[in-house]
Every structure is written in structure tokens, then in C-alpha cells.
Amino acid sequence: MAYTTILVTREDRVGIITLNRPDVLNALNLQLMEELVDALDTLDRDETIRCIILTGNDRAFAAGADIREMAEASPVELLLRNQFARWDRIRRVSKPLIAAVSGYALGGGCELAMHCDIIIASETARFGQPEINLGIMPGAGGTQRLTRAIGKYRAMEMVLTGRMITARQAEAWGLVNRVVPVELYLEEAKRVAREIAARAPVAARLAKASVLKSFDTTIEGGLDYERMLFYLLFATEDQKEGMRAFLEKRQPEFTGR
Ligand code: DAK
């Protein structure tokens, strides 16, 4: 698939997807969402890729769904566009996904960042769920993920007022991993991605699945799930290699097998 609204690059074992509709602050239109899901799917299936970075430009990660495209839509049109299937696919990306956010991450843009597993923010990042200003509410998981990330009262304030928060506020509230100067956010995301890419890929994938499981199960169910995945890793060559390397006092060579 040839992309017109995103750019995809590879640096060693890291795939980088850059949202690229700068004139409209990377508003997420149908075309972009289709391309984004296609690129994520391709990178997720590519054995040479071990971690994926999702980013925008310095001014905007994404200022939300494309309002122009949504303004006159009927519920049936929304249903037929089947956008939720695309968001579900993003939720199911099995490899670690890092958001490198600068500028606006609003509405669907904030929700997209929250689909990622780690969020690195520039000092200029602004997060918000401003849907209420348009007469709607978050529709791609914002009320659920934001609440789990920052708690009921802060989420309520953001969702009900539509007000944006700064990168520092997001950091203090636990919505981002860390805040770095704007010149460094992508570099920092790459640094973390390379660190993850050097680890055992199957273990990273199952560890991600296990952490995410904690959001929709009881502690008992989550512990059982974790245990199964833990056992499973002893069937990998990487487990043997990792432990052997430790005992032989050398660096492990993980193959993802
Ligand atoms: N959609 C379309 N165009 C947008 C846009 C957006 N969300 N955000 C910005 N733009 C466009 C502006 O219209 C403008 O275009 P021109 O006028 O130059 O043609 C250009 O980007 C630059 O924006 P501004 O001139 O407004 O720039 P400022 O610096 O003055 O203001 C701003 C920046 C981010 C404060 C402002 O642009 C703004 O308030 N933007 C809208 C933010 C917003 O309300 N976002 C939430 C959208 S609702 C769904 C899943 C998810 C969603 C919906 C459905 N399903 C699964 C069905 C999500 C919904 C949303 O995200």
C-alpha cells in the first residue's frame, strides 16, 4: 500500500510511523487511519522489527479525528465506516508501541497516544479530550484509558471541561513516562525503543499482553494468565540463551525464537 498521509521508516529493529498531515495538525481522517493500521499491521508481522514508534511533528502529534469529515456524518455512516475495527486493530498490536508526542495530542490524538505502551513527551506537548466542545464525547477509549491512567477526578475534569493539560501536568498525573526538551523527544523515544529491541522479542510481546490484561480482569485471573505466559517462555530458545549468557558472563543474542 502506498501511503500519502503517513511516513514509515525503519532504523535497525525499530519501525517508525510518522503521521504526516501537517496542514491540519495531523487530523485523523479515514485515509490516515487506514494507512496507519496497514503500516502497524505490516510492522507487527515483520520479524525484523521489535518495537514501533508512533510520532507526529513538533507542532502536533494529532489534533484529533478530522472534524471536517465527521461534521455531517449520520450514526449509520459512522457505523458503516467501521472505524472502531481500526482502533481495535491498533489495540491488538502485539509489539511494544511507543508514542513520541510533541504539540497537540487532542481527542482521538490523545486516545491514539494512550493506545501506546509508553509515552515520551516533549515540553511543548498538550493533551486533552476536547470533544465536549463539539457536542460529543471521547469515542476511541478516552473515557476508559484516561480514567485508568490518571484517575476518576482528573479524567472527569478533562473530559467535562475539554481543557488541555501541559506535558508537565501529564507527567505529574502519570499520563506520560517522561518529558524532554522538544529537540529530544524523538531521540529519547528511539533510545527506549532500541533498549526494548535488544531484549527477547517473544518475552516482550507476552509481557505486554500480560500488563494489558490487568486492565480487564480480576487479580486472580490476571495472575493465572501471567503464570501461563511465564511457563510458555520456557519453551523459547531465547530463554535458554538469556540464562546461558548470564551464566557464561556474556551478552545474550536473542533471535525471537
Ligand atoms: N480536524 C480537522 N481539521 C483540524 C483539526 C481537526 N481535529 N484540528 C486542526 N485542524 C485544522 C484547522 O482547521 C486549520 O485548518 P485551516 O483553517 O488552516 O484550513 C489547521 O488545522 C490549523 O489549525 P488552527 O488554525 O486551528 O491552529 P491553532 O494553532 O489556532 O489551534 C488547536 C490549534 C489544536 C487548538 C485547534 O486547531 C483545535 O482546537 N483543533 C481541534 C481540536 C479538537 O477539537 N479535537 C477533537 C476532535 S474530535 C471515533 C474515534 C475517535 C473520534 C471520533 C470517532 N470513532 C471510532 C468513530 C475522535 C474524535 C475527536 O478527536
Side-chain angles (χ1 to χ4, degrees):
M1 184 177 192
Y3 302 133
T4 58
T5 63
I6 61 170
L7 304 168
V8 180
T9 53
R10 290 151 198 263
E11 293 185 15
D12 292 328
R13 296 182 283 206
V14 178
I16 304 169
I17 301 176
T18 306
L19 308 182
N20 192 30
R21 297 185 76 211
D23 295 347
V24 287
L25 307 182
N26 290 334
L28 308 168
N29 65 357
L30 296 173
Q31 175 80 21
L32 184 147
M33 288 303 295
E34 189 182 345
E35 293 182 10
L36 173 61
V37 167
D38 185 82
L40 282 170
D41 194 52
T42 304
L43 293 172
D44 205 23
R45 282 186 285 110
D46 182 339
E47 274 197 39
T48 64
I49 295 295
R50 293 186 179 179
C51 187
I52 305 169
I53 294 175
L54 192 52
T55 192
N57 54 56
D58 291 356
R59 186 165 174 226
F61 177 72
D66 193 313
I67 299 171
R68 204 171 296 280
E69 217 175 50
M70 270 189 308
E72 302 304 328
S74 69
V76 173
E77 276 161 354
L78 288 184
L79 189 91
L80 294 177
R81 285 177 190 175
N82 202 17
Q83 280 294 83
F84 291 108
R86 298 216 167 95
W87 288 91
D88 281 343
R89 177 64 190 93
I90 300 173
R91 177 159 67 95
R92 295 192 188 290
V93 169
S94 66
K95 289 175 187 168
L97 197 49
I98 300 178
V101 177
S102 182
Y104 298 111
L106 304 177
C110 187
E111 291 169 310
L112 184 58
M114 289 191 291
H115 274 68
C116 297
D117 306 308
I118 289 175
I119 305 179
I120 305 294
S122 92
E123 277 164 349
T124 62
R126 295 284 177 278
F127 296 85
Q129 297 289 162
E131 289 90 341
I132 197 97
N133 298 323
L134 302 169
I136 58 168
M137 58 179 274
T143 61
Q144 305 303 299
R145 291 197 178 86
L146 193 63
T147 307
R148 281 168 164 82
I150 65 177
K152 170 183 166 185
Y153 302 100
R154 292 158 172 168
M156 280 290 189
E157 191 173 344
M158 284 181 72
V159 169
L160 297 179
T161 67
R163 216 185 291 143
M164 291 182 227
I165 59 168
T166 63
R168 289 288 169 205
Q169 189 74 76
E171 185 183 38
W173 286 358
L175 182 58
V176 305
N177 291 68
R178 72 188 67 94
V179 178
V180 297
V182 64
E183 321 79 71
L184 294 180
Y185 71 98
L186 187 54
E187 210 32 65
E188 175 63 10
K190 287 182 188 176
R191 196 188 61 73
V192 178
R194 281 194 298 268
E195 204 176 317
I196 293 171
R199 306 287 182 269
V202 181
R205 185 176 174 147
L206 299 191
K208 166 174 172 163
S210 197
V211 172
L212 288 180
K213 182 58 92 182
S214 72
F215 288 109
D216 55 27
T217 187
T218 59
I219 183 81
E220 202 61 36
L223 289 171
D224 286 345
Y225 185 73
E226 181 190 79
R227 211 155 293 167
M228 293 306 143
L229 298 184
F230 182 80
Y231 285 138
L232 185 58
L233 287 173
F234 279 76
T236 63
E237 291 168 18
D238 283 347
Q239 175 267 326
K240 302 288 176 270
E241 166 62 9
M243 295 193 180
R244 231 175 260 143
F246 175 83
L247 295 173
E248 291 167 8
K249 301 190 188 301
R250 60 172 174 84
Q251 287 299 313
E253 287 283 341
F254 293 122
T255 59
R257 293 281 150 181

